[in-house]
Amino acid sequence: MREINTKDIEAAVKDLCINANLELSPEMEGCIATAKENETNPLAESILGQLQENMNIAKTDRIPICQDTGMAVFFVELGQEVHIVGGELTQAINNGVKMGYEEGYLRKSVVGDPLIRENTKDNTPAIIHYDIVPGDSLKITITPKGFGSENMSKLVMLKPADGVEGVKKVVIDAAKDAGPNACPPFVLGVGIGGDFELVAKLAKKALTREPGSHNELPHIAELEKELLDSINALGIGPAGLGGATTALAVNIETYPTHIAGLPVAVNMCCHVDRHKSIVL
């Protein structure tokens, strides 16, 4: 049994919150650079260049890439041979979020009650998804989720007879309906299978995969490529002003489901697909 102290977890989460909001992964930066090189619409190319400039300023000057620094969402893989000491794991993560959003001067966007709407003033509580896995390590992944894109997400309970064509329609319609409101070019996280609540988690987790990677299932990898081509053919373009770059990636995660169902969820993300991981 390996012990991990909550103080180490708090410090790691604090750094994750700050770094995820100040710099994109090299893969995301490369994806936008490639899109700019391939863009034939002059206005779209110019907008993509401005996005690159904004990312560079954020990284160099250590300021947020986007003013909406998001609700802190975590995927935590807890090794079954890990013993958390010094406190409680969920509280440690929330303490780290509080420290990160305060010390990093990140916008606090969480309200304590969805109807009363009073700000908690420290961006807590976080949303935390736990998985118990083999081993003696703790992996923490953050994806700060802004709500301009989150609000354009969809969940549909299809019938099995709707099949793959039904899935395609849900994903493409989500992109069409989002239009400029989700700050394109998008990254689309798609969940297929499971049940009502799991399919949404799959879609959110899909956003933590780097663009350019593909699902290990060949038929799902092909579906990712086909959907990306179809969405880019819509012509929505960067900032919704036209062009060939409406989406940067379509990432799909699947799970077994019931014989009577075909759940599909689409979690929309803007071009600032922020995510960072650490293993303790």
Side-chain angles (χ1 to χ4, degrees):
M1 187 66 68
R2 176 169 171 256
E3 292 186 349
I4 299 179
N5 195 286
T6 53
K7 292 300 180 185
D8 295 327
I9 296 169
E10 290 176 4
V13 169
K14 180 192 77 170
D15 290 343
L16 283 174
C17 291
I18 294 172
N19 292 330
N21 274 292
L22 303 191
E23 55 190 55
L24 294 184
S25 68
E27 291 85 355
M28 279 303 306
E29 291 183 351
C31 189
I32 293 175
T34 299
K36 181 178 181 293
E37 290 173 8
N38 296 335
E39 183 58 68
T40 57
N41 181 304
L43 178 57
E45 182 184 7
S46 173
I47 293 169
L48 291 168
Q50 291 175 46
L51 297 183
Q52 286 181 303
E53 182 181 4
N54 179 67
M55 288 187 297
N56 290 333
I57 292 171
K59 185 161 46 173
T60 302
D61 294 352
R62 307 301 290 169
I63 56 177
I65 304 168
C66 176
Q67 51 84 22
D68 185 351
T69 51
M71 195 166 189
V73 180
F74 291 89
F75 291 93
V76 178
E77 296 179 15
L78 176 63
Q80 61 187 8
E81 296 175 31
V82 170
H83 181 211
I84 304 298
V85 297
E88 196 265 327
L89 177 55
T90 296
Q91 188 58 54
I93 292 173
N94 278 313
N95 288 345
V97 171
K98 179 178 180 180
M99 293 161 56
Y101 274 75
E102 289 181 348
E103 293 183 26
Y105 299 99
L106 307 176
R107 195 182 81 182
K108 290 81 173 175
S109 301
V110 175
V111 294
D113 184 283
L115 299 181
I116 296 174
R117 313 297 294 182
E118 182 178 350
N119 199 296
T120 64
K121 298 181 174 60
D122 59 14
N123 221 56
T124 67
I127 295 174
I128 310 171
H129 303 286
Y130 289 106
D131 284 308
I132 307 299
V133 299
D136 63 355
S137 63
L138 174 65
K139 181 178 181 181
I140 305 173
T141 299
I142 185 175
T143 174
K145 197 62 169 62
F147 265 56
S149 55
E150 187 79 356
N151 286 338
M152 303 309 297
S153 301
K154 281 190 172 185
L155 193 158
V156 181
M157 303 299 287
L158 294 178
K159 302 182 296 296
D162 292 322
V164 68
E165 293 304 319
V167 172
K168 292 176 190 177
K169 185 176 188 307
V170 169
V171 178
I172 294 169
D173 284 352
K176 284 181 184 176
D177 294 343
N181 296 321
C183 299
F186 318 124
V187 177
L188 292 86
V190 180
I192 306 173
D195 62 358
F196 182 81
E197 78 273 8
L198 180 59
V199 75
K201 178 182 173 182
L202 291 172
K204 180 64 64 66
K205 191 171 185 179
L207 292 175
T208 66
R209 265 181 39 209
E210 296 298 349
S213 65
H214 288 290
N215 192 289
E216 62 184 14
L217 298 172
H219 68 291
I220 300 300
E222 285 301 314
L223 183 58
E224 289 175 334
K225 296 171 187 175
E226 180 182 345
L227 284 168
L228 180 60
D229 289 342
S230 296
I231 291 168
N232 281 331
L234 296 174
I236 295 169
L241 297 175
T245 315
T246 296
L248 297 168
V250 177
N251 293 347
I252 302 176
E253 296 294 323
T254 67
Y255 195 85
T257 191
H258 191 278
I259 56 172
L262 180 56
V264 181
V266 182
N267 195 202
M268 301 296 300
C269 187
C270 66
H271 60 275
V272 183
D273 184 8
R274 298 165 290 192
H275 49 270
K276 295 281 183 184
S277 296
I278 190 170
V279 178
L280 299 177

